[in-house]
Amino acid sequence: MHAGDIGSSSILRELRMLAPLYAVRGNNDTESWAARIPERRTLRVGGVRLYIVHDRAELAERPAPSGSRVIITGHSHQPAIEARGDVLCINPGSAGPRRFRLPIAAGEIEIRGGRLQVRLLDLTTRRPLPGLSATLTL
């Protein structure tokens, strides 16, 4: 999944070679190639409803669909995990060029045996970011 600010259509091609890809358009995705990418996306993975939107602030005007258990955002590029009741809000950070002083990061979601586990990884060290993991009982 990619939560926007993709930067180039070539990034999408490369990611599609690794795995199925679900992306949303970010505020920096303004070139013509990005017009076909949706601004928000709902999908079901392992029986779990996930909602992807670039800017978390949009949730105030247009909340995630009912039954969403995971909300994935981008925009700030700041890795974060926040539990809101039975919903996890995740910003995996930015896997591209370093932005500001933020880590180069990505997220990993594992759904198994009635549990959803999330951890955010520092891609330069290939280690989990301290304090940025969570488990959700399904």
Side-chain angles (χ1 to χ4, degrees), residues 21-86:
L21 177 64
Y22 303 95
V24 297
R25 185 172 64 240
N27 60 301
N28 290 315
D29 299 321
T30 58
E31 295 180 28
S32 60
W33 62 266
R36 69 180 190 279
I37 301 169
E39 292 181 350
R40 59 196 58 81
R41 186 165 224 155
T42 302
L43 59 141
R44 194 172 285 281
V45 176
V48 179
R49 180 178 281 187
L50 298 99
Y51 183 67
I52 311 168
V53 62
H54 179 64
D55 189 347
R56 183 176 172 161
E58 290 182 30
L59 295 170
E61 293 177 23
R62 189 169 175 182
S66 178
S68 297
R69 297 299 305 273
V70 177
I71 299 171
I72 300 167
T73 63
H75 193 58
S76 72
H77 308 281
Q78 174 69 52
I81 298 176
E82 177 187 346
R84 289 183 172 182
D86 63 351

